[in-house]
Amino acid sequence: MKIDINFASNLQIKAMDTQKYCYKYPHPAVTADSIVFGFDGKDLFVLLIKRGETTYQDCWAIPGGFMKIDETIEECARRELAEETMVEDVYLEQFHVFSAVDRDPRERVMTVAFLALVRKGDYSRVVGGDDAEEARWFKLSEVPQLAFDHNEIIHCAHEELKRRLRSTAIAFRLLDKMFTIPELQALCEAVNCTTYDNRNFYKKTLAFPFIEHRGTSPVPQPNKRPELYTFNESAYKATKARQAKYPFDF
């Protein structure tokens, strides 16, 4: 019997490809979960999706999913976020790994958690995607009981957000390019779950060169036209190089 050498060779290559990611020893699956924070001008919110899958069906959860064999964990986080919530082109940064042995009843799963921040102007545009039953903003103080260990993950994400607010320029990832000082103060208060003296906050904030005045808002409010400001990243980096203390580290 004559054997087609090229055909046999192709079969061998395909067999090798199917075994490429198969290992003798057990190993965990990997997921990416994104904790999406949004600010509506007054309160801090977190974006949740309602699960349509059998496991924790109809429960609220953090958007995320399993990493594909041919993508990075960052690519996985962005893909899942887009598929489940239609959120794209947002600040996204890895902050922690959760690897408790029994955190997922389906199999051994570890997850890489990401902070995702949606600007104030984009807050109302978030909707559910094809891979989730529903997507909805929840006020951080009103988050329900979630699937898996997602309540713990949100708590850790909030603590990380507070930490970064004290030492980085992360606040300006939640505000629009143009913002008012009261909006900035409201954001800081919402993140830190506290209140600040208005005069002290105003005076301290405007003392920094990276917060620049840009005129008055074209949209009037009762008895006034709010003053608008913007964040100058270059000036911030120069200021940060000269001193370590950040303006919102009260």
Side-chain angles (χ1 to χ4, degrees):
M1 181 177 65
K2 185 178 181 180
I3 299 177
D4 187 330
I5 296 178
N6 290 331
F7 177 74
S9 178
N10 289 337
L11 285 179
Q12 185 178 15
I13 291 172
K14 288 182 179 180
M16 291 173 63
D17 287 342
T18 59
Q19 297 297 315
K20 185 176 180 180
Y21 297 106
C22 294
Y23 303 96
K24 178 180 179 181
Y25 302 102
H27 55 283
V30 180
T31 59
D33 285 316
S34 296
I35 302 82
V36 187
F37 288 112
F39 178 63
D40 69 347
K42 180 181 178 182
D43 295 304
L44 188 65
F45 288 77
V46 63
L47 185 64
L48 302 176
I49 56 104
K50 182 175 284 188
R51 289 178 57 81
E53 299 180 15
T54 303
T55 307
Y56 289 105
Q57 187 172 11
D58 294 331
C59 284
W60 292 99
I62 298 167
F66 288 93
M67 182 177 69
K68 294 180 179 180
I69 206 69
D70 58 350
E71 66 182 357
T72 67
I73 195 67
E74 289 79 10
E75 290 170 341
C76 173
R78 292 194 179 278
R79 174 180 56 78
E80 288 288 344
L81 201 52
E83 291 175 354
E84 294 186 337
T85 68
M86 302 295 184
V87 170
E88 296 181 288
D89 299 324
V90 295
Y91 172 89
L92 188 72
E93 186 173 354
Q94 185 181 146
F95 80 94
H96 196 68
V97 172
F98 294 85
S99 60
V101 174
D102 59 351
R103 61 176 303 275
D104 192 317
R106 295 168 296 183
E107 58 178 310
R108 180 72 173 95
V109 180
M110 60 174 285
T111 193
V112 180
F114 289 79
L115 279 178
L117 305 180
V118 175
R119 292 188 184 276
K120 178 176 173 287
D122 298 325
Y123 171 84
S124 61
R125 302 176 188 174
V126 175
V127 294
D130 295 336
D131 283 4
E133 290 290 316
E134 182 182 354
R136 186 195 305 175
W137 288 107
F138 284 81
K139 191 181 293 187
L140 187 60
S141 60
E142 299 175 356
V143 171
Q145 182 61 45
L146 305 179
F148 307 105
D149 56 352
H150 289 187
N151 288 90
E152 176 190 354
I153 294 177
I154 288 179
H155 172 75
C156 292
H158 182 210
E159 291 299 312
E160 180 68 12
L161 185 62
K162 288 193 288 186
R163 185 188 70 79
R164 296 192 187 194
L165 182 70
R166 293 193 297 269
S167 58
T168 74
I170 202 170
F172 303 102
R173 301 284 188 174
L174 284 161
L175 294 169
D176 291 338
K177 297 291 185 180
M178 298 286 187
F179 56 86
T180 66
I181 299 302
E183 285 177 333
L184 178 57
Q185 181 175 340
L187 172 61
C188 293
E189 291 177 341
V191 172
N192 288 325
C193 304
T194 189
T195 57
Y196 300 120
D197 177 79
N198 292 346
R199 288 186 179 182
N200 183 44
F201 188 93
Y202 190 91
K203 181 180 179 181
K204 186 176 182 180
T205 300
L206 293 187
F208 285 84
F210 52 81
I211 296 180
E212 300 179 346
H213 185 249
R214 283 292 182 267
T216 57
S217 172
V219 182
Q221 293 184 5
N223 302 320
K224 62 179 179 180
R225 285 183 179 271
E227 299 295 314
L228 293 176
Y229 296 84
T230 190
F231 170 67
N232 185 318
E233 189 166 0
S234 297
Y236 166 75
K237 290 179 179 178
T239 303
K240 195 67 175 173
R242 294 194 300 269
Q243 62 183 73
K245 193 171 178 62
Y246 192 63
F248 310 128
D249 187 10
F250 288 93

